[in-house]
């Protein structure tokens, strides 16, 4: 039996409904931070503390975005660590660590774009996503800093 135009239209309609069900709005989780993740938040034998640098870095990583934005966030972390510790070596080590470990293509809790459910890659935020991220951060950002960076 030949495939009629009406059957093709019905098949096309069913296919479009099925695909639209698969494409849903990305869901943003509340902001969380664990400080410096797999690295200490402060020096063991002195008062030197760089936890705030890591929480600021987590804000950018939670939000995600383009490859350029990630590199800027990682450089800002390096600059902050260097200013808090007077150690370019420590700042470089942490920079290299986040460059290697923070890839958005591994499903880790500290990956680039970890605030979004699923793997987002280097997809820039659209206008609605950016507004949602800004609103969520305004509601949870300061509380996370107080909670994580406690001595």
């Amino acid at each position: 039996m030949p495939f009629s135009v009406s059957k093709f239209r019905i098949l096309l309609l069913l296919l479009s409904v099925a695909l639209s069900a698969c494409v849903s709005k990305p869901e943003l989780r509340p902001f969380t931070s664990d400080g410096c993740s797999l690295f200490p938040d402060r020096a063991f034998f002195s008062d030197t503390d760089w936890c705030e640098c890591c929480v600021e870095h987590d804000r950018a990583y939670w939000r995600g975005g383009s490859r350029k934005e990630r590199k800027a966030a990682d450089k800002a972390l390096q600059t902050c660590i260097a200013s808090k510790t007077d150690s370019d070596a420590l700042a470089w080590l942490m920079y290299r660590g986040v460059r290697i470990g923070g890839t958005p293509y591994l499903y880790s809790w500290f990956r680039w774009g970890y605030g979004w459910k699923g793997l987002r890659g280097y997809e820039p935020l659209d206008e609605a996503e950016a507004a949602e991220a800004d609103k969520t951060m305004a509601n949870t950002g300061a509380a996370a800093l107080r909670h994580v960076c406690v001595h």
Side-chain angles (χ1 to χ4, degrees), residues 100-121:
I100 294 166
T103 178
Y105 303 115
L106 296 176
Y107 200 78
S108 65
W109 75 92
F110 49 81
R111 74 184 179 281
W112 179 249
Y114 72 85
W116 300 95
K117 289 192 175 179
L119 297 177
R120 189 179 171 88

Side-chain angles (χ1 to χ4, degrees), residues 83-103:
S83 71
K84 295 269 188 182
T85 66
D86 290 326
S87 174
D88 290 337
L90 178 64
W92 179 86
L93 179 66
M94 290 185 73
Y95 174 78
R96 294 310 314 155
V98 296
R99 292 305 299 163
I100 294 166
T103 178

Side-chain angles (χ1 to χ4, degrees), residues 24 63 102 121:
S24 60
R63 181 185 184 98

Side-chain angles (χ1 to χ4, degrees), residues 2-146:
F3 199 73
S4 68
V5 173
S6 61
K7 287 181 184 176
F8 178 73
R9 286 182 180 160
I10 291 171
L11 182 63
L12 192 59
L13 177 64
L14 290 173
L15 182 60
S16 66
V17 168
L19 287 176
S20 67
C22 294
V23 178
S24 60
K25 181 179 179 272
E27 190 175 334
L28 184 61
R29 298 180 188 104
F31 173 70
T32 60
S33 175
D34 62 356
C36 297
S37 298
L38 301 174
F39 201 83
D41 294 338
R42 59 194 56 83
F44 293 114
F45 302 111
S46 74
D47 291 337
T48 307
D49 186 323
W50 51 84
C51 181
E52 290 179 15
C53 300
C54 296
V55 173
E56 282 302 313
H57 187 250
D58 284 352
R59 290 176 201 261
Y61 264 59
W62 169 82
R63 181 185 184 98
S66 70
R67 187 179 306 268
K68 186 177 178 181
E69 289 171 307
R70 177 176 174 224
K71 187 156 190 175
D74 293 344
K75 287 304 245 178
L77 174 69
Q78 183 179 19
T79 300
C80 186
I81 298 295
S83 71
K84 295 269 188 182
T85 66
D86 290 326
S87 174
D88 290 337
L90 178 64
W92 179 86
L93 179 66
M94 290 185 73
Y95 174 78
R96 294 310 314 155
V98 296
R99 292 305 299 163
I100 294 166
T103 178
Y105 303 115
L106 296 176
Y107 200 78
S108 65
W109 75 92
F110 49 81
R111 74 184 179 281
W112 179 249
Y114 72 85
W116 300 95
K117 289 192 175 179
L119 297 177
R120 189 179 171 88
Y122 287 110
E123 183 181 339
L125 277 63
D126 64 28
E127 202 172 296
E129 292 168 335
E132 182 180 357
D134 291 345
K135 181 180 174 186
T136 301
M137 185 56 67
N139 292 333
T140 61
L145 180 61
R146 284 190 305 272

